[in-house]
Amino acid sequence: MIISMKLRSTREEIDEVCAIVRHYGYKVHSIEGEERVVIGVVGVGDVTACFESVEAMPQVDIVTRISAPYKFVSREFRKEKTRIRVDGIEIGGDEFVVMAGPCSVESEEQIMKSAEGVARAGAKILRGGAFKPRTSPYDFQGMEEEGLKLLQKAKKATGLAIITEVMSERDVEMITQYADILQVGARNMQNFMLLKALGKCGRPVLLKRGLSSTVKELLMSAEYIVAHGNAEVILCERGIRTFETVTRNTCDIAAIPALNELTHLPVILDPSHATGKRSLVPALCRAGVAIGADGLIVEAHPAPEKAVSDGAQSLDLVQFQKMMDELKPYVALWQESRKREVAAAATR
Ligand code: PEP
Ligand code: MN
């Protein structure tokens, strides 16, 4: 942080600012010019509180933050990409990982058919919500623990790993017994009690970007989980809310390479919630591969017309298979470029 004092500040005014900075645990290095004094702030302390206090002082002209407010998740902290191992699958490594399945777990038949279909097509992780964050309290809320048991059954039958959503810190321990990855939905990206609890859950976490959240806010939420003890966080772009109505959300595709510059955490794309329309999903899957995502999370359902949630954006299993087949040449190019990236990172 750099504090630029107003022109011709007095000695007392400068000392007052330095005292406040020290109060927050920092050291000061000031550069005193003829007319203006610039104070450099270094060390470790409560950066937000210090910034806000100093900014409000009348003798201060401009306060500039230098290092990112997120530390552990930043590229500065770790140059090479974090690889997260789940059940023999590596996310953020040499493979492009596809997670797929229905929006909600609805019945044994539905989840078994989904699991078999997506596994056959090459997905490695089965998705399916047992706790559903619905906009309306009258909509289907999920099968809860019964749904988790069905996911376990599907895992046994197909070997797929399981990802499922957790909505409350009260459920973390229970869901951990069934899931390989815990998903934080867009609506809970800033549920800080939940994020803190996930710091202690001992499982990788998929953190979805909030509907109206910036990339930096997403990184701050990831920082919560990591700072509370869990370094295994995967980020997910799932579209944000804009004035556009032709798609359910607006897919911020540039967020993926931007995140890849800012953080070492793996980043995946959810083309289903990003568009809300199944016809647009395959094109966005290709875009996700091309732009350097580490994987996808795609909604697929054996009978989307009968789905209790998000049917319009779910591919049926034949369409999912076709999408995965058409993705193969793109994934081959992705693998080439990932090899080059890893080699380049090793020589840096
Ligand atoms: C989901 O994955 O079904 C879901 C509810 O997603 P999001 O939190 O991104 O809306
Ligand atoms: Mn959904």
Side-chain angles (χ1 to χ4, degrees):
M1 193 157 86
I2 292 186
I3 303 164
S4 202
M5 300 293 293
K6 285 204 176 129
L7 289 181
R8 292 176 283 280
S9 301
T10 64
R11 181 82 260 151
E12 289 72 38
E13 286 172 334
I14 298 163
D15 289 347
E16 196 189 2
V17 173
C18 292
I20 290 285
V21 171
R22 290 196 190 94
H23 163 80
Y24 284 106
Y26 293 100
K27 291 201 175 84
V28 294
H29 290 285
S30 55
I31 306 158
E32 311 207 354
E34 286 283 297
E35 292 195 314
R36 194 190 286 277
V37 172
V38 175
I39 303 168
V41 177
V42 290
V44 181
D46 186 338
V47 65
T48 304
C50 182
F51 185 95
E52 287 174 359
S53 298
V54 172
E55 201 181 30
M57 296 174 89
Q59 64 269 49
V60 168
D61 189 11
I62 305 167
V63 190
T64 319
R65 224 157 151 158
I66 302 297
S67 61
Y70 43 87
K71 287 203 183 319
F72 297 131
V73 306
S74 73
R75 271 280 186 193
E76 287 150 37
F77 182 76
R78 214 185 117 104
K79 287 276 168 280
E80 61 287 359
K81 211 177 223 308
T82 289
R83 294 167 179 243
I84 297 176
R85 291 196 72 80
V86 187
D87 242 21
I89 307 152
E90 199 172 51
I91 302 158
D94 305 333
E95 298 298 327
F96 187 81
V97 177
V98 178
M99 316 179 183
C103 179
S104 307
V105 181
E106 298 168 13
S107 68
E108 178 163 350
E109 191 194 349
Q110 175 247 18
I111 199 66
M112 288 307 225
K113 276 194 181 158
S114 302
E116 283 155 13
V118 302
R120 204 178 316 119
K124 293 281 184 288
I125 300 172
L126 176 66
R127 64 148 290 148
F131 292 86
K132 294 305 301 176
R134 305 306 300 280
T135 302
S136 165
Y138 307 115
D139 287 344
F140 178 66
Q141 303 287 307
M143 290 181 77
E144 306 193 344
E145 195 164 2
E146 203 190 326
L148 298 174
K149 290 189 174 140
L150 294 180
L151 285 168
Q152 269 290 311
K153 227 174 174 175
K155 175 178 174 148
K156 271 219 181 91
T158 58
L160 292 169
I162 299 295
I163 177 165
T164 197
E165 178 159 354
V166 54
M167 285 171 57
S168 158
E169 71 267 24
R170 282 192 320 257
D171 301 325
V172 169
E173 225 181 282
M174 188 261 290
I175 297 180
T176 302
Q177 288 160 25
Y178 298 97
D180 299 292
I181 305 175
L182 275 65
Q183 173 178 330
V184 178
R187 289 155 193 82
N188 268 317
M189 189 201 86
Q190 288 187 317
N191 179 341
F192 300 116
M193 295 306 283
L194 176 60
L195 300 179
K196 287 180 193 178
L198 290 169
K200 308 260 174 288
C201 75
R203 287 266 186 283
V205 174
L206 177 81
L207 179 64
K208 290 187 131 193
R209 180 177 179 183
L211 279 74
S212 305
S213 299
T214 64
V215 161
K216 290 201 174 150
E217 286 162 345
L218 172 62
L219 290 170
M220 289 307 291
S221 290
E223 184 83 5
Y224 259 90
I225 303 171
V226 179
H228 281 83
N230 185 355
E232 304 206 303
V233 181
I234 305 154
L235 303 173
C236 180
E237 165 61 36
R238 47 77 73 208
I240 49 174
R241 185 162 285 185
T242 69
F243 53 82
E244 184 53 73
T245 53
V246 108
T247 46
R248 180 180 178 183
N249 292 290
T250 298
C251 180
D252 182 7
I253 198 78
I256 292 168
L259 281 164
N260 278 334
E261 278 186 8
L262 296 169
T263 179
H264 52 84
L265 296 175
V267 183
I268 70 165
L269 174 66
D270 174 344
S272 310
H273 294 86
T275 58
K277 279 191 188 145
R278 85 171 61 89
S279 64
L280 303 179
V281 167
L284 269 197
C285 291
R286 294 195 293 275
V289 179
I291 209 144
D294 295 289
L296 300 168
I297 181 162
V298 184
E299 286 185 342
H301 192 290
E305 67 288 353
K306 293 192 196 134
V308 298
S309 60
D310 288 351
Q313 67 193 33
S314 300
L315 299 174
D316 69 25
L317 297 173
V318 174
Q319 291 162 339
F320 181 75
Q321 174 82 58
K322 184 161 179 277
M323 182 280 288
M324 291 291 279
D325 289 343
E326 287 172 359
L327 211 57
K328 281 180 187 156
Y330 296 85
V331 172
L333 288 172
W334 180 97
Q335 278 165 330
E336 296 287 310
S337 91
R338 180 54 59 99
K339 263 187 219 145
R340 283 195 298 274
E341 269 168 42
V342 172
T347 58
R348 232 179 269 141

